[in-house]
Amino acid sequence: MARAYYSTMVDKPADEVWAAIRDFNALPAWFSEAVSESKIEEGKAGDQVGAVRSFTLRDGTHLRERLLSHSDVTRCYSYNFEKTPFDVDNYHATLRVTKVVDGDRAFVEWWTTFDCDRDKIAYWQDFFANQIFQAGLTSLKAYLGV
């Protein structure tokens, strides 16, 4: 199983950062550079475990992801792919916000584990960490005005 990881510091309180991303359906707000639209299927809430978000990237690519866990206490959620154009299996991602006491800032981590062909591991690790997670967290900072 391969793993891709990216983290950053955000100069905002952890609760404020979590408020921006806690709704599983909020991608178009804080990751607007990549996501054009998103909806939660079957009338479920954006923090309801089992909810499926169906979203479209700006290039027209359609994905579906299922919320596997959600915690306001630990400020994190995990999800998997239900439909993806990416050639990976068993994708399981987590997005977490941790309070940094020094300076009342937030430490934000986004990672995934997945399976793929051995000769594609480095490609997918780079893709998820540096093209998706880094871009998403950079977009989140811009959304929060930092």
Side-chain angles (χ1 to χ4, degrees), residues 23-32 35 38 53 55 65 77 110:
D23 183 340
F24 192 53
N25 198 38
L27 280 176
W30 64 267
F31 199 178
S32 60
V35 180
S38 179
R53 70 177 169 199
F55 65 99
E65 297 172 334
Y77 58 74
W110 200 350

Side-chain angles (χ1 to χ4, degrees), residues 18-72:
W18 177 242
I21 65 172
R22 77 170 298 278
D23 183 340
F24 192 53
N25 198 38
L27 280 176
W30 64 267
F31 199 178
S32 60
E33 288 81 3
V35 180
S36 61
E37 61 183 338
S38 179
K39 68 177 182 174
I40 298 290
E41 298 177 352
E42 299 177 0
K44 294 188 177 182
D47 61 356
Q48 186 176 354
V49 172
V52 174
R53 70 177 169 199
S54 176
F55 65 99
T56 305
L57 301 178
R58 295 242 172 247
D59 68 3
T61 302
H62 179 252
L63 292 94
R64 292 175 70 241
E65 297 172 334
R66 181 175 304 275
L67 186 62
L68 301 174
S69 67
H70 187 284
S71 174
D72 287 324

Side-chain angles (χ1 to χ4, degrees), residues 64-126:
R64 292 175 70 241
E65 297 172 334
R66 181 175 304 275
L67 186 62
L68 301 174
S69 67
H70 187 284
S71 174
D72 287 324
V73 173
T74 59
R75 293 184 210 88
C76 74
Y77 58 74
S78 296
Y79 61 92
N80 70 354
F81 284 146
E82 294 289 307
K83 174 189 174 192
T84 179
F86 310 129
D87 192 20
V88 299
D89 295 312
N90 303 313
Y91 181 95
H92 183 252
T94 300
L95 182 56
R96 177 171 59 195
V97 179
T98 303
K99 179 178 181 171
V100 176
V101 176
D102 182 19
D104 195 20
R105 299 176 294 163
F107 178 63
V108 184
E109 300 172 277
W110 200 350
W111 71 88
T112 184
T113 56
F114 58 92
D115 293 321
C116 66
D117 291 338
R118 290 180 75 92
D119 61 338
K120 298 288 185 178
I121 290 173
Y123 170 82
W124 288 116
Q125 285 174 323
D126 176 69

